[in-house]
Amino acid sequence: MTDQIRYLGHSTFHLTLQGKHIIIDPFINGNPQCPPDVTPATIPADYILITHGHGDHIGDTFEIAQRTHPKIVSVFEIYEWMENHPDMGLDYDYEPMHIGGSIPTDFGRIKMTPALHGSALPDGSYGGLAAGFLLTTPTATLYFAGDTGLYAEMQFLANPPIDYAFLPIGDRYTMGPTDALTATQLIQPKTVVPIHYNTWPLIAQAQDALQSWQAQVESTTNSNVNFLAPGDSIKLK
């Protein structure tokens, strides 16, 4: 099976790595960008990675987990919140962790990175710190920034070099294009993929602004820009 990354819109991804299915921020129901062939009732999941507790990121975790019994990777506070909901009838393995920590997996290694953002859970409970994920696999090093603003320490993420960086550019709630350009200059990925934009009018980015951003990225860094449409995939060699 070929390792690949499929974009499901907003900040949601379905990864196939070393034969395992990894879902990042499974926001499917209510996601206007999600391809119609993807549903919580059918998507495979050996792992679910949650960057933070907001509804457009924790999304359909419970429904998917009831069917697939995955390992769920999140900060400790989200793990505690899930543990306190036995009425959900879930049967899965937790992999609680926190910023700066890493864990081995059967597809590579997961490291949890900082993200500058809030993290209230759907019922208003405290969700701990927001996070991103750095995935090191046999085929690629992948950085999923999560919802974040710009921070200088991003420069330290580039060791080992990052093949793909998935950065929010929607502005208002996360970095906008200007700060995402600086983030790309700090991280120096081979390819940067913009996410978390055009889902709703409040985070819409005009096409000419996106083209200008791409030109700035590719003229000031060694990174290429790959605009993934929802449903598009990247095959990893």
Side-chain angles (χ1 to χ4, degrees):
M1 183 179 293
T2 302
D3 283 6
Q4 68 175 12
I5 303 163
R6 189 183 187 204
Y7 183 43
L8 304 183
H10 199 52
S11 295
T12 303
F13 289 88
H14 174 195
L15 283 58
T16 306
L17 301 172
Q18 306 298 297
K20 300 297 181 181
H21 295 279
I22 301 97
I23 311 301
I24 298 179
D25 288 345
F27 176 44
I28 297 172
N29 285 329
N31 178 355
Q33 294 185 330
C34 190
D37 65 303
V38 178
T39 71
T42 59
I43 193 168
D46 298 298
Y47 292 81
I48 296 176
L49 278 56
I50 303 169
T51 62
H52 64 289
H54 290 162
D56 58 330
H57 293 263
I58 202 167
D60 301 286
T61 295
F62 284 113
E63 183 176 347
I64 296 169
Q66 285 175 329
R67 177 177 55 82
T68 63
H69 313 294
K71 290 187 177 180
I72 296 183
V73 182
S74 72
V75 295
F76 186 80
E77 288 82 359
I78 292 178
Y79 150 71
E80 276 195 314
W81 181 75
M82 289 185 171
E83 279 277 75
N84 289 328
H85 284 72
D87 55 307
M88 301 301 293
L90 299 185
D91 175 20
Y92 51 75
D93 294 327
Y94 291 110
E95 288 284 1
M97 55 188 308
H98 235 301
I99 307 295
S102 68
I103 58 172
T105 70
D106 43 14
F107 61 84
R109 194 166 191 89
I110 299 173
K111 182 175 183 179
M112 187 171 278
T113 63
L116 296 180
H117 196 65
S119 185
L121 288 154
D123 64 359
S125 300
Y126 175 58
L129 296 174
F133 291 106
L134 187 64
L135 275 56
T136 305
T137 80
T139 49
T141 300
L142 313 170
Y143 172 51
F144 295 87
D147 281 12
T148 189
L150 177 68
Y151 59 93
E153 290 78 10
M154 285 180 171
Q155 64 187 301
F156 300 120
L157 298 174
N159 185 21
I162 291 171
D163 295 296
Y164 292 91
F166 300 85
L167 303 182
I169 65 163
D171 217 349
R172 187 177 287 264
Y173 299 112
T174 67
M175 294 187 292
T178 299
D179 283 353
L181 169 62
T182 303
T184 304
Q185 293 166 340
L186 293 174
I187 299 166
Q188 303 176 57
K190 293 178 182 176
T191 300
V192 59
V193 179
I195 63 171
H196 204 280
Y197 71 102
N198 288 357
T199 317
W200 301 288
L202 285 177
I203 56 172
Q205 297 294 318
Q207 185 61 34
D208 59 346
L210 294 175
Q211 291 172 342
S212 174
W213 178 75
Q214 178 178 9
Q216 288 180 293
V217 168
E218 294 182 347
S219 65
T220 63
T221 73
N222 292 321
S223 303
N224 297 313
V225 175
N226 186 352
F227 289 104
L228 290 179
D232 283 356
S233 296
I234 296 171
K235 292 192 186 316
L236 303 176
K237 297 180 180 179

